[in-house]
Amino acid sequence: MLRGLYTAAAGMIAQQRRHDTVTNNISNINTPGYKQTNSVSRAFPEMLLSLTGVEPKDQMKIGKLTSGVFAEESLSIHLQGDLTQTNNASDFALISNIDVPGLVFDASGKSVSEDGQVTFQPQAFFTVQNANGEVRYTRGGKFTLTEDGFLMTTDGSSVLGANGQPIQFPVGTSLENLMLTDDQRFLDPQGIDRGQLLITRVDNPNELVRDGNGNFRFEGEDGNARAIDAGERIEVRQGYVERSNVDAAQASVDLMAALRAYEANQKVIQFYDQSLGKAVTEIGRV
C-alpha cells in the first residue's frame, strides 16, 4: 500500500535536485566560461541493480518493481558559448572547434554511429594550477596580472604555459603591450617571446568533474588530456570573454516543469497522509 508513498517521495527528491541544478544554471548565466549542467535521472530499480553489480539481461524478469526515480548525476554541456567583446587586455576567450575525421557532431556536441556508438566532440581548455599545485581546466578567461608578473585567474590559480610552468612576465609588464599570436604566444613590443599559453585538449569532456570557480578536473589520472597540436582548430581572442552556454528560455521551462512535478508528487504524499490519518481515527473509534 505504501509503495506509492515511497515512489512519490523519490520523485520529490529527484525534482528538487533538478530544480537546484536549473537554478544554479540561471544564477551563472552571466559567468564567463560557465557550462550548463543537466540533471540525469534513472529508474531506481535499474540504479539499485547497477550498484549491487547485478545487470539485468534480456531474458531476466525482475517483476513490476516501480519504486520511483533516482537523481543519478549532473552532466555538463561543454558546447561553445557566444563571445562578448570587453576590450580588456586581461580577458581571453577560447574558441574550440575541434574536428574528428569521419565524424559529424550535432548541436549537442555528440556523434552517433550507425551501430549506436556515441562520441562526444573534444573540447579545449585553459590549463591552470591551484594553490595546492593541482592542475585544473577552465574556459573562464578573465585573468589578472600580479605585481610579480604572474598571470592568474580570478580565484588565484596560476595560468600555465606550454612548458608546464606558471606564466610569469617581467615586472612592470602590461598586458596591453603584449600581442597574442595565432599559436597563443605573448610577444612584447620588441618581438621577444614572453611565454605561450598551455591549451589542453580533452577528448571526452564528460569525464571532467566540476571543481568550483569554473574549474574542472579528472576523477583519476588525466588519461584523455593532452596539449593542443599545431593545426588543430583552436583560437584564443584577447579582449573577449566566452559567455555561458546556458539557454535561458529552456532553463525557465525546465524550472517550471520541475516545480509542477514536485507539486504533483507532494499531493500524492498528502493523500497518503490524509488516508492514513482517517484510518487511524477509525481504528481508534473501534
Side-chain angles (χ1 to χ4, degrees):
M1 175 181 176
L2 296 180
R3 177 174 293 179
L5 175 65
Y6 300 139
T7 301
M12 289 179 65
I13 295 173
Q15 294 304 323
Q16 182 179 16
R17 179 168 182 176
R18 180 185 178 192
H19 183 276
D20 293 343
T21 300
V22 176
T23 53
N24 185 60
N25 287 335
I26 294 175
S27 65
N28 285 281
I29 198 168
N30 292 321
T31 301
Y34 177 82
K35 299 305 175 184
Q36 176 177 315
T37 303
N38 291 340
S39 179
V40 179
S41 300
R42 289 180 59 182
F44 180 76
E46 297 176 4
M47 190 62 194
L48 178 62
L49 290 172
S50 176
L51 291 176
T52 55
V54 179
E55 293 295 338
K57 300 179 181 179
D58 293 338
Q59 70 275 15
M60 188 178 189
K61 302 298 182 181
I62 60 175
K64 296 181 178 180
L65 186 62
T66 55
S67 300
V69 65
F70 177 76
E72 181 181 10
E73 59 182 338
S74 295
L75 294 180
S76 298
I77 307 300
H78 293 275
L79 295 180
Q80 178 73 44
D82 297 330
L83 301 190
T84 299
Q85 186 172 7
T86 65
N87 294 320
N88 189 339
S90 61
D91 291 340
F92 298 87
L94 200 160
I95 303 175
S96 175
N97 190 17
I98 301 176
D99 292 329
V100 177
L103 297 180
V104 177
F105 298 100
D106 59 20
S108 65
K110 67 180 179 181
S111 174
V112 182
S113 63
E114 295 181 355
D115 59 357
Q117 183 178 359
V118 177
T119 303
F120 292 95
Q121 185 175 19
Q123 296 293 330
F125 296 85
F126 295 110
T127 313
V128 300
Q129 186 180 68
N130 62 20
N132 297 323
E134 299 166 327
V135 175
R136 297 291 183 259
Y137 309 99
T138 183
R139 291 293 288 266
K142 292 190 73 68
F143 301 149
T144 59
L145 202 60
T146 67
E147 295 180 355
D148 296 333
F150 284 98
L151 192 63
M152 311 285 287
T153 63
T154 54
D155 69 335
S157 297
S158 301
V159 180
L160 296 182
N163 58 359
Q165 300 299 317
I167 294 178
Q168 184 180 19
F169 302 117
V171 176
T173 298
S174 174
L175 287 172
E176 284 82 358
N177 297 328
L178 296 177
M179 182 182 68
L180 188 66
T181 63
D182 292 339
D183 60 349
Q184 295 84 49
R185 295 180 183 274
F186 291 99
L187 300 182
D188 65 12
Q190 288 73 40
I192 301 176
D193 187 349
R194 295 300 184 182
Q196 181 182 17
L197 285 170
L198 174 58
I199 307 298
T200 298
R201 166 178 168 154
V202 178
D203 287 334
N204 185 359
N206 286 326
E207 294 179 350
L208 294 173
V209 179
R210 288 182 183 268
D211 197 55
N213 297 312
N215 295 333
F216 294 89
R217 62 176 174 83
F218 283 98
E219 188 66 35
E221 299 181 357
D222 300 358
N224 291 323
R226 62 171 176 81
I228 286 293
D229 292 333
E232 291 186 296
R233 298 177 62 183
I234 296 299
E235 181 182 354
V236 178
R237 292 188 184 178
Q238 188 174 10
Y240 290 79
V241 293
E242 180 187 0
R243 298 173 55 189
S244 70
N245 62 0
V246 176
D247 187 335
Q250 185 60 48
S252 299
V253 173
D254 293 342
L255 191 67
M256 186 61 66
L259 178 60
R260 297 306 184 196
Y262 184 92
E263 291 177 343
N265 284 289
Q266 186 181 41
K267 290 184 181 298
V268 173
I269 292 180
Q270 289 176 343
F271 170 78
Y272 270 98
D273 181 62
Q274 294 171 0
S275 299
L276 291 174
K278 291 180 181 179
V280 172
T281 301
E282 292 297 327
I283 293 175
R285 291 177 180 178
V286 175

